[in-house]
Each structure stands twice: as structure tokens, then as C-alpha cells.
Amino acid sequence: MGNVTGRRTEVVVIGGGYAGVLAANRLTRRDDVAVTLVNARDRFVERVRLHQLVGGSDDAVVDFGDLLAKRVRLVVDTVTEIDAPRRRLVLEKGEPLAYDYLVYAVGSTSGPLEVPGAAEHALPLATLEEAERVRAALRSTPVDAPLVVVGSGPLGVETAAELAELGRRVTLVCGRVLSPYSPESARRTIRRRLESLGVQLLEGTTAVRVTRASVELADGRSTPSAVTIWTAGFAAADLARRSGLSTDADGRLLADETLTSIDDDCIVATGDAVSPQGVPLRMSCQAALPLGSHAADTVLQRIAGGTPAGFDRGIAAMCVSLGRRFGVFQFARFDDTAIRLHVPGRLGALLKEEACKSPISQIRAEARRPGTHRWPVKDGRRAERVRAAADGRGRLRESGERPAASAA
């Protein structure tokens, strides 16, 4: 395959997570495309295993040499600015990188620690470095010391269970409800398993203050804590916003239905960092895979002079581990709405482990044979939700109100 100019097209991918690596591999379908992946670390991070790193059962990293197609050039550096008018990236250490097309796959980080004392006394758990700090703090903390996990989404539940199974004294501050994604039937299973591990569940209340030795709650109670682990919310990395590109309230780059930036046809976003038509998918490795392959296809279509397709894929499950021998595999509709059906126990744990292995297998397969990745799940209701979101934004504009930020 070749382009009309005979010049190699330079495509740079920012971010070496699930979506970015899959996109980089897929872009090598064309021999006349030079693909560069810029990532701050020299290893791929399995974010779905960060709770295992904290508990000591996995290191949560994979060598990029085992995942990237041979034609992908890896640059270990941090992008500090996207200079879109000049089509170049400013790097923290190296010389600026020029691009013809940019794939924005910077992922997400911990949400802002706005609760008083949280920034000083709580340890977030959204990145490899944060997980390593939590692990180090636990090594120097007696086994019988009280630990508090704030946030009962998948990461909070998994971290609490992982530590409790090791004999740690864990309290989980759940917020309004334990595991808010789950229907009540699965929530009962999760609650029973956590309680059997000795986790103290504080439902219907939130953390309002964190001190060196305790967490104070909205209902007036206070629970002791030698180490407070913060898992309450994620936010998109802020590179796009800092670079003057349009983002949603959570920092995701605003894109059209093809995942192309609404500001610049040469920038395509994917993974946790994109808000296609203002209706983002749940931040997850499951969503990252179809988003990553679609972003690459959009770039390749533009290079070929074609018309990129709109994104219409969905995700239809969520799974959590509750220690090494128990899990819950939660089924959902293709629009990511959970249903009552779930698989608990040992089988749930096995399905969860397969769900952790599968993205790595799919990325490796795409490296070997770029263009082969397929995502069979189609979200038939996505167009309806996009229209509803557009109507809502229109009503806000007419009223003069500003949209509220949604929870990460």
C-alpha cells in the first residue's frame, strides 16, 4: 500500500496503555506509515492488576518488547504540550516530535483529592507509581494495623478484598452504596464475600476529612487508619486541556463519531481520554480495546482519502476479583447497563482472570497480524443516547446554565 505523495506518513501515539498500544500495532497495516509510541514508562502497565501489585501477587507490568509490533518505535518520555497548529509535540526530555496524525491515548489518573486532608494523608491508587507507594507503605505497617479504603467501585472493592485475604484489618468506606455499578443481586454477593473476609463496610456515608491516623465520615463517625487508600474516582489526564483543545467536564478530549477531535482533523482520541459526541464509555480496559482499534482505523481511512466510520461498539460485562479465589463476573446489556445475571465464586474468579489475560492476548495478536482485531459487541442504543446528550446540551445553552462535571 502506498500514499499519493510517496512520503511516509508520521503517526504518533501518546500513551502506552491498552488503547494506545492496540492502536499503534494496528497502524502498522500500512507500509508507508511510520508509527511512534510515546510513553512515560518503558513497561506496559496492567492497570487491572494494580490491586494485585498492592497485595504482592503480581507486578502488574509487561515488557513492551512482548507487545509492540516490530515497526513501532517506542520513545520513553512525557509529552508536556500538543502544539496542534504546528503539528508537533513538546517533550519533557527529548527534542520535539513532528506528526502528520496524532492518536491521543493518554488515559486517566486519580481524580482530584478535594476532601480536606486527603492530599496530605491518603494514598491514591490509579497508576503504577501510586500502587508502588501503597505497597511500600504497607510493608512498613504492622499486619494488625487498621487500613481504610475509600471508594467502593471495582478498584476499591478489589483492593479491600485483596488486603483482607492477607489478614489485614480493612474498612471500606463505600459512599452512597457498595459497588454502584452492580444490581442488588450481585451487590449482595459482593457484600457477603467482603464480610466473610472480615472487611468492615461503611455504606451510606462518605469521607469528609482525612488525618494521619483516621478518616472522618459525613455521618459524624470516625474510623482509625494507619494507611488510607483512595480509590474514589478517576479523571482523564489533562494534556488536551492544557494544550488548548476542547474537552468535556472530566478532561476527556471532545471528538465526533469517528473519534476525531472537534478542533483538528489530524488528532484522533481513544481510550479513557476520549468523549465521542459527548457520550464517553466507562473507563475500562474493556472499552479501550474497541476504541483503540477504531482510532487506528479512522487514521488509516484519512490517510487513504476515505471516510472514517462512526464508532458504535459497546461493552457488556464487568468483573471484579474478591481475593485470589473468588470473583463476580457481571453480565450487562450492550450499552453497559448491568443485568441481574452474574457468575460468583471460584468460576467468577476464573472468568475474571481470563478477562485480565484477554486484552494482553488481543494486543499481541494485533502486533503479529495488524488489522485482525475484531470487537463483536455493538451498542444499538448509542445513537439514542448521543441524541439525548445533544438535546440536553442544547437546553443548557438556551437557559444559560453550565453543564455540571460528572463523576469520573
Side-chain angles (χ1 to χ4, degrees):
M1 300 173 67
N3 60 32
V4 294
T5 66
R7 183 179 71 85
R8 285 164 69 86
T9 302
E10 298 286 341
V11 182
V12 178
V13 180
I14 311 177
Y18 295 96
V21 175
L22 185 64
N25 287 342
R26 196 174 184 88
L27 286 164
T28 64
R29 294 178 69 183
R30 287 186 65 118
D31 295 334
D32 59 349
V33 171
V35 184
T36 299
L37 175 68
V38 183
N39 193 62
R41 308 174 190 86
D42 62 359
R43 297 170 296 170
F44 177 89
V45 178
E46 292 188 88
R47 288 184 68 180
V48 294
R49 296 192 188 276
L50 289 181
H51 62 288
Q52 290 183 250
L53 189 157
V54 168
S57 63
D58 200 283
D59 61 7
V61 294
V62 181
D63 188 339
F64 271 124
D66 191 37
L67 297 179
L68 286 175
K70 295 186 184 304
R71 286 184 44 223
V72 176
R73 178 171 72 112
L74 175 65
V75 173
V76 181
D77 209 332
T78 299
V79 178
T80 59
E81 181 188 353
I82 300 170
D83 185 351
R86 299 171 67 182
R87 293 191 191 174
R88 70 169 197 164
L89 306 175
V90 180
L91 303 184
E92 185 177 79
K93 295 176 289 189
E95 294 297 315
L97 273 178
Y99 65 84
D100 295 306
Y101 289 93
L102 175 66
V103 176
Y104 184 76
V106 296
S108 58
T109 62
S110 294
L113 303 182
E114 297 176 339
V115 171
E120 296 82 9
H121 303 296
L123 298 174
L125 185 56
T127 67
L128 176 66
E129 292 77 16
E130 290 171 349
E132 289 173 338
R133 284 195 289 271
V134 174
R135 177 70 175 152
L138 292 173
R139 284 197 186 106
S140 60
T141 302
V143 174
D144 61 350
L147 310 177
V148 173
V149 177
V150 179
S152 71
L155 181 57
V157 166
E158 291 183 328
T159 301
E162 199 81 15
L163 295 176
E165 193 173 65
L166 295 172
R168 295 280 189 171
R169 292 174 52 201
V170 182
T171 296
L172 180 62
V173 179
C174 300
R176 182 181 60 84
V177 65
L178 172 68
S179 187
Y181 178 90
S182 305
E184 185 53 39
S185 55
R187 191 173 297 127
R188 285 194 297 268
T189 301
I190 294 170
R191 185 182 293 112
R192 285 195 298 266
R193 172 59 178 174
L194 289 171
E195 290 175 344
S196 73
L197 291 171
V199 177
Q200 181 184 11
L201 300 176
L202 301 180
E203 298 185 67
T205 190
T206 58
V208 296
R209 185 177 184 84
V210 182
T211 71
R212 184 181 58 82
S214 68
V215 176
E216 298 175 11
L217 306 173
D219 60 11
R221 289 181 291 174
S222 177
T223 184
S225 180
V227 177
T228 299
I229 303 170
W230 199 271
T231 70
F234 293 84
D238 66 350
L239 176 61
R241 181 179 290 161
R242 288 190 285 107
S243 300
L245 297 168
S246 297
T247 65
D248 69 6
D250 293 324
R252 300 178 182 91
L253 191 141
L254 287 174
D256 65 16
E257 69 278 4
T258 72
L259 308 186
T260 303
S261 165
I262 64 172
D263 302 314
D264 191 326
D265 285 350
C266 295
I267 300 176
V268 176
T270 189
D272 290 356
V274 66
S275 180
Q277 297 178 283
V279 183
L281 278 72
R282 172 165 50 89
M283 291 181 175
S284 64
C285 71
Q286 185 184 175
L289 299 177
L291 286 166
S293 59
H294 194 91
D297 288 346
T298 291
V299 172
L300 292 172
Q301 278 291 325
R302 292 195 183 283
I303 292 172
T307 302
F311 181 79
D312 63 355
R313 303 295 99 176
I315 51 180
M318 187 188 76
C319 45
V320 295
S321 62
L322 295 155
R324 294 297 82 218
R325 298 178 296 277
F326 194 104
V328 171
F329 188 94
Q330 174 65 57
F331 289 92
R333 299 181 182 90
F334 289 171
D335 65 353
D336 197 29
T337 304
I339 62 177
R340 291 186 61 186
L341 179 62
H342 67 279
V343 179
R346 179 60 178 167
L347 180 55
L350 293 173
L351 291 171
K352 162 68 176 179
E353 179 58 23
E354 286 304 309
C356 291
K357 291 178 179 177
S358 177
I360 301 299
S361 298
Q362 293 178 63
I363 288 170
R364 285 175 176 147
E366 191 69 17
R368 292 191 300 268
R369 296 179 60 197
T372 59
H373 180 261
R374 297 288 183 269
W375 192 261
V377 179
K378 185 173 180 178
D379 180 1
R381 297 177 59 189
R382 181 168 177 82
E384 177 186 331
R385 296 201 307 281
V386 167
R387 286 193 297 270
D391 290 344
R393 289 191 293 272
R395 287 193 294 272
L396 283 171
R397 283 194 295 270
E398 292 171 5
S399 67
E401 297 178 32
R402 297 183 62 186
S406 62

